[in-house]
Amino acid sequence: MNRLAIFFVFVLSVITAKSQSDTLVSLVCTSPGTEIYELEGHAAIHLRLDADRDFVISYGQFDFNSPNFVYRFVSGQTDYHVALYPWSSFIYQYQYQGAERTIIEHPIKLTGDEVLRLAALLEENLRPENREYRYNYVKDNCATRPLQMIERTIGREIALGPAPEPFCEGATTFRDVMRYYHRNYPWYQFGIDICLGSGIDYPLSRREMAFAPTILTSMLTPDADSIVGEARVYEPESVVTSLPTPWYLSPIFVCYVFFVIGLWVTIRQLRTGKQPRVFDTFYFGVKFLCGILVTFLIFVSVHEATSPNMLLMWLNPLAIIPCIFLWIKSAKKAVNCYHFCNFALVFAMCAVWPLQNQVANAAFWPIIFTDLMRSGTHIYLFIKEKRDEK
């Protein structure tokens, strides 16, 4: 009811608004937070029609409690919505409610008619039948939407300055930006690198770089466009930062430990002839689950960047064969067939990887080598057994 009341106040404000001296339009960007969905910051539009009518319009709002949220998110049905709340609530949320995040406000110099035009566009977006939209993590999000709304108002693009360091030099991709902001969350990036294919690995234009609010705020400079004013910074009393993941809990260390364990059980198998069923069941079981996810994202999900994904040659549902059938003596032929096909596919993937543009997480390689080692060992012992029979 409070949201509905605020919306009606906003609608009435748009209808009755007139150009006044204290009118303000600005793009506001916050510094990164500690939650996964806050790591690139947040952006919104600040619209003040007068001292009593001071609003923030925020794109990219979502509700974890909505029906089937996880399935809809994974399948690409990311129907986020536009939110409206008072400026005072925005300040409180980002600086005093346990967030302690810096807010940078960039005034946008609009004429009185342009302010009213923007207000009318926002009011149209906020109507119940229009407030939901198909969110795209890199191309249609909380940073790109506010920028587009202001540009629709003025009828042209706002000139953006150069990207900040470390993105100002070289060919930067979406994955490069993600890795920078996710550096303290390596397991999160590990998951992204599994799920997202080559669609995020092309060099970005200056405008595409602005998908991250923290980059957008650096590119909005007075020198870039005459309508962008001097930024105002709201500093919190203290700043909460995320601590780096300890090296011994990082994906690269854990995966190399797993490789060493795989090497040990392989050497033991070659010496004793005893198959490490528990190890193989665990590994190929995890691989099967990851393969289900990758297959779903490629063939079912409508996420733009999940297909193509070269990792399907390594992570696919066929891993269920050794996971289960290695416990069944009569299914030995199926297991043998899987290992021959798996070794060929994974080896081919490694061979062609340098020739394509998808970037792999460094932690993948020790697991991929473990995969080749396990299938290669099975093939070697199978051939040796056939020779001994002769």
Side-chain angles (χ1 to χ4, degrees):
M1 291 301 294
N2 288 337
R3 291 181 180 178
L4 187 60
I6 294 172
F7 173 66
F8 281 122
V9 170
F10 183 78
V11 172
L12 183 61
S13 299
V14 172
I15 294 173
T16 62
K18 297 180 180 179
S19 178
Q20 299 185 28
S21 60
D22 56 352
T23 296
L24 171 71
V25 173
S26 62
L27 271 170
V28 290
C29 301
T30 70
S31 61
T34 56
E35 299 294 336
I36 284 176
Y37 52 85
E38 299 173 338
L39 298 182
E40 285 90 15
H42 182 58
I45 294 176
H46 180 196
L47 176 62
R48 185 179 68 206
L49 298 174
D50 56 44
D52 298 320
R53 298 178 293 181
D54 202 359
F55 306 99
V56 167
I57 298 87
S58 177
Y59 291 82
Q61 303 295 306
F62 58 90
D63 182 6
F64 281 122
N65 297 319
S66 61
N68 303 315
F69 176 82
V70 174
Y71 173 81
R72 291 173 61 83
F73 183 85
V74 174
S75 64
Q77 301 176 51
T78 47
D79 294 329
Y80 287 17
H81 61 268
V82 191
L84 171 74
Y85 39 92
W87 170 248
S88 58
S89 298
F90 183 84
I91 293 290
Y92 179 78
Q93 175 184 352
Y94 284 96
Q95 294 202 320
Y96 298 103
Q97 203 175 21
E100 286 97 17
R101 294 162 67 180
T102 300
I103 298 172
I104 303 177
E105 181 171 26
H106 299 272
I108 306 297
K109 303 172 186 176
L110 302 182
T111 65
D113 289 341
E114 287 173 339
V115 171
L116 299 182
R117 189 182 311 143
L118 174 63
L121 287 172
L122 295 174
E123 185 268 330
E124 182 68 20
N125 270 191
L126 287 162
R127 290 188 176 277
E129 65 272 20
N130 300 330
R131 63 193 300 263
E132 285 193 348
Y133 73 101
R134 184 56 55 87
Y135 179 90
N136 183 299
Y137 180 59
V138 295
K139 294 190 175 180
D140 194 357
N141 61 23
C142 70
T144 61
R145 278 265 170 156
L147 184 62
Q148 290 169 2
M149 293 303 294
I150 292 174
E151 290 176 337
R152 283 181 60 189
T153 300
I154 63 177
R156 60 183 176 84
E157 290 187 349
I158 295 177
L160 299 175
E165 294 184 359
F167 313 115
C168 55
E169 297 180 2
T172 301
T173 67
F174 285 123
R175 199 185 304 268
D176 293 333
V177 176
M178 293 176 191
R179 286 183 172 180
Y180 176 79
Y181 287 111
H182 304 164
R183 60 192 182 278
N184 288 344
Y185 294 76
W187 284 107
Y188 178 47
Q189 186 60 45
F190 184 85
I192 286 177
D193 289 339
I194 287 177
C195 296
L196 301 186
S198 57
I200 60 170
D201 289 314
Y202 66 88
L204 302 180
S205 66
R206 177 177 293 190
R207 191 158 196 83
E208 287 174 316
M209 288 288 295
F211 85 97
T214 45
I215 297 179
L216 173 62
T217 193
S218 297
M219 299 172 79
L220 288 169
T221 61
D223 293 336
D225 196 294
S226 59
I227 73 166
V228 179
E230 289 288 344
R232 178 182 179 184
V233 180
Y234 299 82
E235 292 285 2
E237 294 180 0
S238 60
V239 177
V240 175
T241 58
S242 57
L243 297 176
T245 298
W247 62 269
Y248 52 85
L249 295 179
S250 66
I252 190 72
F253 181 79
V254 171
C255 289
Y256 269 109
V257 168
F258 187 82
F259 171 77
V260 171
I261 295 172
L263 180 61
W264 177 77
V265 299
T266 299
I267 294 173
R268 185 170 178 269
Q269 181 183 11
L270 292 172
R271 288 178 176 176
T272 65
K274 186 176 181 180
Q275 185 175 2
R277 293 184 178 182
V278 174
F279 178 87
D280 281 355
T281 299
F282 172 78
Y283 169 66
F284 288 105
V286 173
K287 182 179 175 182
F288 163 71
L289 295 176
C290 292
I292 288 289
L293 175 62
V294 171
T295 303
F296 179 86
L297 289 171
I298 291 175
F299 296 106
V300 179
S301 174
V302 294
H303 276 297
E304 182 177 323
T306 57
S307 180
N309 189 341
M310 285 282 292
L311 294 180
L312 183 65
M313 299 175 71
W314 167 42
L315 301 174
N316 55 69
L318 294 177
I320 193 65
I321 295 174
C323 180
I324 295 178
F325 289 178
L326 63 81
W327 297 93
I328 305 172
K329 290 185 178 180
S330 60
K332 191 174 181 179
K333 288 184 178 179
V335 176
N336 291 338
C337 182
Y338 170 82
H339 282 296
F340 273 97
C341 295
N342 181 62
F343 187 88
L345 276 174
V346 177
F347 186 84
M349 183 191 74
C350 294
V352 303
W353 197 274
L355 306 178
Q356 52 85 55
N357 67 327
Q358 184 172 338
V359 178
N361 192 294
F364 290 169
W365 297 112
I367 305 298
I368 291 173
F369 296 150
T370 302
D371 198 304
L372 289 171
M373 182 169 58
R374 294 306 304 141
S375 285
T377 300
H378 191 96
I379 293 169
Y380 167 77
L381 292 176
F382 172 76
I383 295 175
K384 183 175 182 296
E385 181 182 348
K386 291 295 183 182
R387 286 178 178 174
D388 292 343
E389 289 177 357
K390 293 181 180 179

